[in-house]
Amino acid sequence: AQSVTQPDIHITVSEGASLELRCNYSYGATPYLFWYVQSPGQGLQLLLKYFSGDTLVQGIKGFEAEFKRSQSSFNLRKPSVHWSDAAEYFCAVGQPSNTGNQFYFGTGTSLTVIP
Amino acid sequence: EAQVTQNPRYLITVTGKKLTVTCSQNMNHEYMSWYRQDPGLGLRQIYYSMNVEVTDKGDVPEGYKVSRKEKRNFPLILESPSPNQTSLYFCASSLSTGTHVNEQYFGPGTRLTVT
């Protein structure tokens, strides 16, 4: 089965500092990769996605992620964090199938932003 | 407004009392899915549906049923809820097809407590 690992359960950064959230996946073929953000009490919102092509993808809210096949990684980055970025972040991989697509999520990384 | 709606948003029930959580989307998506979110475990897929009358099990289907009689609706049924089904539930929909995976759009969540 596919799997997604987010090794950092919780990260604290200062406002204005840079951010990198790690994501490693296990998947045999070229993966469909996603980053979602969940603010407290809210549903999940898509930040960005990677299907193919340029390995550096840009998303909303100033986030970007880089797909590295050799490392099976899809790390999320932001050059300057804002207090409103405090949330839970989930990495996910999608698996195509004629019988239906399955999605696998990491356990999430909780981000705290300190002034 | 394009959206996924879930009802109810909060539900407290007792062991063994059948319940249904409704999910509806207005984006004409063929793919719909249910997840549960538990602390430290991230989101886990319960069931998914590629189209009307086509459903399949995800990673954690035990104790749940679904149906897809209309394209826009995908209810989650707990025939005999147990306390270990206390969780936060999300419905999602997507333009995903069998050969291509697209991002999912999530509902606001349903917090279920089974006593």
Side-chain angles (χ1 to χ4, degrees), chain A residues 28-95:
Chain A
T30 298
Y32 292 79
L33 294 162
F34 307 86
W35 274 101
Y36 288 88
V37 61
Q38 183 182 29
S39 297
Q42 304 294 314
L44 279 77
Q45 180 185 21
L46 179 73
L47 283 176
L48 45 77
K49 61 189 178 186
Y50 173 78
F51 295 162
S52 64
D54 193 347
T55 57
L56 184 63
V57 293
Q58 303 296 320
I60 63 171
K61 305 184 181 187
F63 285 91
E64 66 178 27
E66 186 170 14
F67 170 59
K68 292 186 178 180
R69 182 187 301 277
S70 62
Q71 298 177 20
S72 296
S73 70
F74 188 56
N75 294 347
L76 182 71
R77 301 193 295 247
K78 186 169 184 178
S80 179
V81 170
H82 188 261
W83 64 267
S84 61
D85 293 324
E88 185 105 24
Y89 292 81
F90 292 95
C91 180
V93 61
Q95 174 182 317

Side-chain angles (χ1 to χ4, degrees), chain A residues 38 42, chain B residues 9 35-38 85-90 108-112:
Chain A
Q38 183 182 29
Q42 304 294 314
Chain B
R9 293 289 312 278
Y35 296 87
R36 60 177 291 173
Q37 182 180 14
D38 301 290
Q85 293 179 296
T86 293
S87 187
L88 179 58
Y89 292 86
F90 287 102
T110 295
R111 185 164 293 282
L112 171 65

Side-chain angles (χ1 to χ4, degrees), chain B:
Chain B
E1 179 191 356
Q3 61 182 349
V4 178
T5 57
Q6 297 178 226
N7 282 292
R9 293 289 312 278
Y10 302 91
L11 179 60
I12 301 174
T13 189
V14 296
T15 299
K17 185 177 182 182
K18 180 180 179 180
L19 66 91
T20 299
V21 183
T22 64
C23 173
S24 182
Q25 51 95 3
N26 62 2
M27 294 170 278
N28 203 36
H29 288 166
E30 294 189 345
Y31 182 92
M32 297 185 75
S33 182
W34 275 103
Y35 296 87
R36 60 177 291 173
Q37 182 180 14
D38 301 290
L41 297 178
L43 278 81
R44 294 177 292 167
Q45 196 168 30
I46 302 172
Y47 270 95
Y48 56 92
S49 169
M50 286 298 292
N51 212 327
V52 176
E53 302 292 1
V54 180
T55 64
D56 209 345
K57 298 177 181 178
D59 274 348
V60 289
E62 295 79 18
Y64 304 95
K65 285 176 56 177
V66 292
S67 69
R68 188 90 182 275
K69 293 182 169 42
E70 306 168 278
K71 196 171 188 177
R72 63 182 292 127
N73 297 322
F74 190 44
L76 179 70
I77 304 155
L78 284 72
E79 295 269 4
S80 182
S82 62
N84 64 11
Q85 293 179 296
T86 293
S87 187
L88 179 58
Y89 292 86
F90 287 102
C91 179
S93 71
S94 170
L95 279 170
S96 291
T97 66
T99 55
H100 186 72
V101 177
N102 274 300
E103 68 267 28
Q104 297 178 91
Y105 296 81
F106 285 83
T110 295
R111 185 164 293 282
L112 171 65
T113 301
V114 183
T115 62

